Amino acid sequence: MNSVDRAFTPALELAESIRTLEVSPLEIVNLYLERIDRLNPELGSYFTVTAERAIALAKSQTEKLAGLNKPQELPPFFGVPIAIKDLTPVTGVPCTYGTQALLGNISAYDESVVWRIKAAGFNILGKTATSQIGSLPYTEPEGFPPARNPWNLDYTPGGSSGGSAAAVAAGLCAIAQGSDGGGSIRGPASCCGLVGIKPSRGRVSWAPVGDYLSGISANGPLARTVADAAALLDVMSGYTTGDPYWLPDSNPTFLEASRQKSSKLRIAFSTTISPVGEASATCQQAVLETVKLLTDLGHDVEPGCPDFTGLIEPFIAIWQSGAAASGIPGPALEPMNRWLLERTISAGEYLRAVNQMQVISRRIVGFFEKFDVLVLPTYLHSPIRVGEWADLSFEETLQRIIHWIAPCPPFNASGLPAIALPAILDDNGLPVGIQIIGRPAAEATLIALAAQMEAAKPFPVLDFK
């Protein structure tokens, strides 16, 4: 196998190659570090590369592997390189939150997903680019190179997990962690032709800290295959003492679900997001081709969608409070986030917004009493160019964001699981994806369906050299 093929090998296959001694952890890490050194300057997918730490761990893992009689007993992802979004603390590594003023901010602890990732045997290559404090759906924070889409470098890979998505799509890591507070996993997955899972609220712990903005955000995987994403979600999931809400472990595991035949499902679909409007022609095409695929696979598919009227205002009130919740002083924030900071609402207004969001979320969840799955566009139009909105006013930028990402926030508000899947390529050669949304805690149903769709209609892998 040549080095490019190896770099784009699914993470589960890479783990098996290591267990069977076909390749060593050190060879794999050196392969990815060489690609990062060569390609990241034009891609902007990593803020921090922890090369020395990664090489040291890879050497230790390679030595351990040589001394084992039963390599099959190793952790599931022993020696597999992974990237962590730079909103997520990793002990001893800078965590900038996309803020130049925090370049020297060295994390003193591992977030729960990180210690679970380490326990699974992964080797962390570095911290990936994010929009500042994760607030925007493109990844162009002040003072850092913009993250670019490896399918077309003139365009964004999305945000705020844009660096993670770009790194996976370009073969600069095998798999990556992201977080999603309004589409920040699903959007980048759609922009970069990947599988991205926003799990149910309570599936993945935020320990040792509390939840983020009344539970609208969740950690999840970005991967090239459904099985890889499912397996990483297995790693990430689980209760940690004191979690404000939690779910029991999945049975079957999510990886097992990806290998099971999907049952016949009642599926709704829509290309319109009420009250925002209709998706672009390209995004409509992605949904309609998905509908045909699902019908051909034997599922019952019909038009339908919850009414999201009334959700925009309370969701914006909660989302924009992230600028104040970050604790970063206004002068250290870029202009858009300073503007959001100035819009900070009172505690009473915040609590009323949470109440309104929860009331509307009950209506959204109630829709799934009739349907198992909902198919929607991930975003309402294709990826924008890097810097495309840079000259707009703050108000205009906010309105463009609301329209673009409109299909995503309702499921952050309601805590429902959602998976973004690649569907088609647009006229600029950029991936356009769809998302499938399921009932509360029904990730296994979505994963089985996504795997069935992937097998029936594989999406091309980018050859990024």
Side-chain angles (χ1 to χ4, degrees):
M1 181 182 292
N2 65 44
S3 62
V4 174
D5 289 343
R6 184 80 74 190
F8 285 92
T9 299
L12 286 165
E13 293 180 26
L14 210 52
E16 181 63 19
S17 296
I18 290 169
R19 279 193 296 272
T20 57
L21 308 181
E22 179 183 328
V23 65
S24 75
L26 184 57
E27 289 173 309
I28 292 295
V29 160
N30 282 331
L31 166 63
Y32 281 115
L33 289 175
E34 184 278 328
R35 289 181 64 82
I36 292 169
D37 185 62
R38 178 165 50 87
L39 299 171
N40 192 62
E42 65 176 340
L43 200 62
S45 58
Y46 283 86
F47 283 164
T48 301
V49 180
T50 53
E52 291 184 5
R53 289 168 60 120
I55 289 170
L57 177 57
K59 286 179 178 177
S60 173
Q61 290 177 325
T62 298
E63 292 169 1
K64 180 177 180 179
L65 193 60
L68 287 178
N69 293 322
K70 296 181 178 180
Q72 291 76 15
E73 296 178 359
L74 292 167
F77 286 100
F78 185 82
V80 175
I82 192 170
I84 305 295
K85 183 179 179 179
D86 204 22
L87 297 182
T88 305
V90 177
T91 302
V93 178
C95 192
T96 73
Y97 302 94
T99 306
Q100 274 282 308
L102 295 179
L103 285 174
N105 177 45
I106 308 300
S107 300
Y109 67 93
D110 286 335
E111 197 167 289
S112 171
V113 290
V114 173
W115 61 255
R116 292 177 187 274
I117 281 167
K118 288 180 176 179
F122 281 108
N123 191 337
I124 296 171
L125 295 176
K127 305 293 290 296
T128 55
T130 174
S131 57
Q132 190 182 75
I133 65 173
S135 61
L136 301 175
Y138 43 88
T139 306
E140 303 169 24
E142 274 192 347
F144 296 87
R148 296 179 180 274
N149 194 318
W151 290 81
N152 186 327
L153 295 174
D154 292 333
Y155 289 82
T156 183
S160 60
S161 305
S164 286
V168 175
L172 304 193
C173 59
I175 197 167
Q177 171 265 348
S179 55
D180 189 317
S184 287
I185 288 173
R186 289 162 289 160
S190 179
C191 291
C192 295
L194 302 175
V195 178
I197 302 179
K198 185 207 78 68
S200 299
R201 182 174 298 140
R203 179 68 68 193
V204 179
S205 173
W206 282 103
V209 297
D211 77 327
Y212 186 62
L213 296 180
S214 300
I216 66 173
S217 189
N219 281 297
L222 283 150
R224 296 186 203 101
T225 70
V226 172
D228 275 4
L232 181 51
L233 184 57
D234 281 324
V235 168
M236 292 179 166
S237 299
Y239 171 76
T240 303
T241 302
D243 284 343
Y245 27 68
W246 63 92
L247 296 172
D249 293 340
S250 178
N251 184 18
T253 68
F254 297 127
L255 179 57
E256 288 169 346
S258 75
R259 296 167 175 168
Q260 293 181 347
K261 182 180 179 181
S262 176
S263 58
K264 184 176 182 178
L265 300 173
R266 185 89 181 268
I267 299 174
F269 74 92
S270 180
T271 60
T272 300
I273 303 299
S274 176
V276 175
E278 191 79 32
S280 70
T282 301
C283 293
Q284 289 184 50
Q285 179 189 346
V287 171
L288 296 177
E289 288 192 15
T290 300
V291 167
K292 182 180 185 306
L293 173 64
L294 291 168
T295 302
D296 291 345
L297 290 171
H299 299 285
D300 292 330
V301 188
E302 63 182 90
C305 188
D307 182 2
F308 304 125
T309 301
L311 182 61
I312 292 175
E313 291 76 12
F315 191 89
I316 289 175
I318 295 165
W319 164 76
Q320 73 184 24
S321 298
S326 72
I328 299 172
L333 295 173
E334 61 193 24
M336 182 71 181
N337 282 323
R338 284 201 300 273
W339 180 70
L340 293 175
L341 184 63
E342 292 166 0
R343 289 165 54 98
T344 298
I345 57 178
S346 69
E349 289 169 327
Y350 181 89
L351 291 174
R352 284 194 293 274
V354 171
N355 180 271
Q356 292 167 2
M357 182 180 74
Q358 291 174 348
V359 169
I360 296 167
S361 293
R362 292 182 187 277
R363 186 175 73 215
I364 295 169
V365 175
F367 176 85
F368 289 86
E369 293 175 359
K370 182 180 179 182
F371 294 99
D372 300 299
V373 173
L374 171 64
V375 178
L376 294 176
T378 306
Y379 280 169
L380 287 185
H381 60 77
S382 293
I384 62 172
R385 289 181 176 272
V386 172
E388 184 170 332
W389 294 346
D391 295 329
L392 298 178
S393 70
F394 303 133
E395 292 84 357
E396 288 174 319
T397 300
L398 179 58
Q399 290 307 309
R400 297 285 182 94
I401 290 171
I402 290 169
H403 181 268
W404 192 28
I405 72 168
C408 289
F411 310 107
N412 297 92
S414 57
L416 294 174
I419 301 179
L421 298 169
I424 62 173
L425 293 174
D426 71 8
D427 292 340
N428 295 311
L430 292 162
V432 173
I434 56 91
Q435 58 176 328
I436 54 175
I437 303 101
R439 292 174 171 174
E443 287 95 332
T445 298
L446 293 180
I447 287 168
L449 177 61
Q452 182 187 42
M453 296 164 66
E454 179 183 66
K457 188 181 178 183
F459 195 76
V461 175
L462 177 65
D463 185 9
F464 193 79
K465 299 178 180 179

